[in-house]
Amino acid sequence: MAYLFLDDSKHHRSGFSLAAFAICDVDPTEEMGALFREYGFDPGTFEFKSSATMKDDNDLQALRDSLKHFIARNCKMALCVVDSAEDTRKLGPASLTLLRSALKHPLLEGRQHEVFFDEGLFKHKSAAEALVAGDPELAGCIFHFEQDSKAVMGIQLADIMAHTCSIMLLEALGDITKKVIVNAPGDSIYDGLEVELGFEMWAGIRYAFLSQNKPNPKDDFELANVDVYPWGLFIDESVNERVAPVAMDRFGENYLGCIH
């Protein structure tokens, strides 16, 4: 059984909204709770939000980094993108279309799963339940709609994924340009180096993308590039012609080779 958690990130000025599934082999609640307590946060009352101001808050920054490391070690990720003008109507159904594709991946195919959705992704709970009722492609899933992300901690992992990938897409669109200093004391090449924010975001999460090796790779470079689409990416037909090709180019395949 896998546990899947969905959260979203909306960017109306740039014309897209994005949702991410965090896919975990085990329920992450216990280990996440331990991380929260390690940095002085009560998991019963505190909710991690990627959008929170973290400047000068060393404990919150450390928790964020630990959660990202947890994702890199333990989670896979699948994304869907919709037009932001349609997100209240499209985001929930698009996530189900993405889920149908993700379930065909060997990691998930033929298994039972529990799937949790944050609040506000569908018009109402009964509408969501009607969309999955009787669908043979989703028969192996137990659905939990309109969940409180404070109580269902795995949704907070999906929040990090959605936020991270949104930053990557915003940069690819040219809507943000920001550089950061890499803090990696054990890395003699990257520690202290100034890099693009999108590159830093991608480097920390690239192994989480749900993907498969390309069939019959022709060379070492192609061997290092894996296909994320269609298992880990769905771009809704509502997405405009400025965003859709950039999203496909940014997320449709993923480089897993050496970046030094």
Side-chain angles (χ1 to χ4, degrees), residues 203-256:
I205 207 168
R206 63 184 180 134
Y207 291 108
F209 284 94
L210 189 66
S211 61
Q212 291 203 72
N213 292 330
K214 291 181 177 294
N216 305 313
K218 293 177 289 188
D219 51 38
D220 288 345
F221 181 76
E222 194 165 283
L223 185 64
N225 276 279
V226 295
D227 289 325
V228 175
Y229 178 83
W231 309 277
L233 176 66
F234 171 67
I235 300 173
D236 188 74
E237 62 182 10
S238 65
V239 181
N240 67 52
E241 60 185 16
R242 182 179 87 99
V243 176
V246 177
M248 180 59 74
D249 184 62
R250 190 67 191 87
F251 300 122
E253 63 177 20
N254 185 36
Y255 178 69
L256 296 179

Side-chain angles (χ1 to χ4, degrees), residues 55-71:
K55 185 179 180 181
D56 301 323
D57 191 330
N58 292 334
D59 289 333
L60 192 54
Q61 291 176 23
L63 175 60
R64 176 194 60 196
D65 292 344
S66 291
L67 290 172
K68 286 186 173 183
H69 287 143
F70 177 87
I71 288 170

Side-chain angles (χ1 to χ4, degrees), residues 33-62:
L35 290 174
F36 275 46
R37 288 186 289 271
E38 180 179 349
Y39 296 105
F41 299 97
D42 179 0
T45 59
F46 176 80
E47 179 180 3
F48 181 85
K49 286 287 190 182
S50 295
S51 58
T53 301
M54 300 187 195
K55 185 179 180 181
D56 301 323
D57 191 330
N58 292 334
D59 289 333
L60 192 54
Q61 291 176 23

Side-chain angles (χ1 to χ4, degrees), residues 125-154:
K125 185 177 180 181
S126 60
E129 290 171 341
L131 287 173
V132 303
D135 188 327
E137 293 185 278
L138 302 176
C141 296
I142 300 170
F143 288 98
H144 308 270
F145 297 108
E146 297 298 314
Q147 297 295 298
D148 179 354
S149 54
K150 184 182 291 185
V152 182
M153 295 185 71

Side-chain angles (χ1 to χ4, degrees), residues 130-191:
L131 287 173
V132 303
D135 188 327
E137 293 185 278
L138 302 176
C141 296
I142 300 170
F143 288 98
H144 308 270
F145 297 108
E146 297 298 314
Q147 297 295 298
D148 179 354
S149 54
K150 184 182 291 185
V152 182
M153 295 185 71
I155 294 175
Q156 297 174 49
L157 297 176
D159 166 80
I160 294 171
M161 292 177 172
H163 175 79
T164 298
C165 291
S166 290
I167 296 297
M168 291 166 58
L169 183 51
L170 287 167
E171 184 182 82
L173 289 165
D175 291 355
I176 60 169
T177 54
K178 182 179 179 180
K179 292 192 175 183
V180 294
I181 303 298
V182 175
N183 180 25
D187 192 323
S188 60
I189 295 178
Y190 281 107
D191 186 39

